[in-house]
Amino acid sequence: MPSPSGRRHLRVPVPALGAALACSTLALGLAGCAAEPDPGTVTVLNSATDTAEHTANQRFFDRCAKPLGLKVEQISVPADQVASKALRMASSDSLTDILELDGSELPQFAQTEGLRPLKEAGVDTAGFSASATSLGSYGGTQYGIARSVNSLALIYNTELLKEAGITPPTTWEELRAAAKKLTSGDTYGMAFSASPNADGVYQFLPFFWSAGGDEAKLDNGKGEAALQFWKDLLADGSASKSVVNWNQQDVNDQFVAGRAAMMINGPWQVPVLSAQKNVDWAVASIPVPEAGEPAVPPIGGTVMAVPKNDDRAREKNAGKLLNCLNSQENQLQWGESVNNVPTRAAAAEAYAVQNPKLAAFAELVTTARSRTAKVGTGWPVVGDALAGAFQSVLTGRTSPQDAMSRAQQQATAGK
């Protein structure tokens, strides 16, 4: 599975996208629009280019399609090409019946009114976590549904913490003290990604939001504390100055190699962590500024949407397929296969019981937030502004206060 935040946010021109999606709803026979597809086949555009993931997807699709007398055909492209591929397909009236894309990209498509609200497509949207519903919503309407989601947590080396007499930290103060104590020789106490792209921004958000930072008003005076905390970790020598270049995979590599006692990372690293034998690891919630406060990490993952189609029967078939894919049983089995948390509340509870080592992730997604909930299609600009802020602070070019002031100016200018 790809990193949920490693996807670059393609800035598709909204008017062009709307025109392209509109073509897919025109009557057949017009120049530039394709012939009618097989009525018994539901097509899906996704990013399941990995053979194992593609095969697993097909197994679940077939399980749901067969009782409905349908077949499913996947069209899989790299994650950073899904949006542009969808645009090209829409312009030739060949857009798939189901569009699966990163949750952060959904607003770009929903804004064009080219997606069918899920309830109108017959999709059951009850019983899902609030964070998952937010991930698939735009303007108060749900257009996308996620089978499973992920977030970030504190992953730590159990042996190193035990040797140091340290319990998993729960506050920033405890985290800073633990990171200092755990730093020795070639091993840093803490590792995280502060790269100037989506990976770094994704990892900054739990600290930014927990401090009271607001993506709609970056200079509200709260986010500076998160910048200062990251800066303090580097100043203490508890985190490598190379974090400004590390993506999330680099962070995991450092941890597995024993060069970091703790790290911020997500469940997509579990296959690598489980395969190695040199580091015994466990998962805890991300520390917060003050004891007792809830962690507020970002929620990540893909959502499945139904593009509008003049053939409403195709939309209904897509809706039936999505209902089956998102049954409690199928969500639980899918979540376990990809190490992600199911979005149905009951399925998430069962997941935590059956996967105790990853239970912290199941708890964290209940307080997680969507990156686009407040700023919608403006998120890419805001994300770039945040990246510039922590990069400038960690490299010593500016103060947290100046960095946030400049970030707000950048975000405002980019709207």
Side-chain angles (χ1 to χ4, degrees), residues 263-275:
M263 70 170 175
I264 301 297
N265 230 314
W268 53 89
Q269 305 292 7
V270 169
V272 174
L273 291 170
S274 298

Side-chain angles (χ1 to χ4, degrees), residues 374-391:
K374 277 193 172 185
V375 296
T377 57
W379 171 251
V381 174
V382 172
D384 287 347
L386 283 173
F390 60 68
Q391 279 270 310

Side-chain angles (χ1 to χ4, degrees), residues 340-342 347-353 355 358-367:
N340 277 358
V341 181
E349 291 176 5
Y351 178 88
V353 172
N355 301 274
L358 303 180
F361 284 113
E363 181 178 348
L364 281 162
V365 298
T366 64
T367 57

Side-chain angles (χ1 to χ4, degrees), residues 58 85 98 108 144 218 220 227 311 323 327 348 373 386:
Q58 195 65 48
K85 176 69 172 179
I98 294 175
Q108 300 178 50
L218 298 176
N220 72 343
L227 289 175
D311 186 348
N323 281 332
S327 69
L386 283 173

Side-chain angles (χ1 to χ4, degrees), residues 63 90 101 113 198 255 332 386 409:
R63 175 191 298 180
L101 67 164
E113 300 183 356
F255 181 79
L332 181 57
L386 283 173
Q409 293 174 11

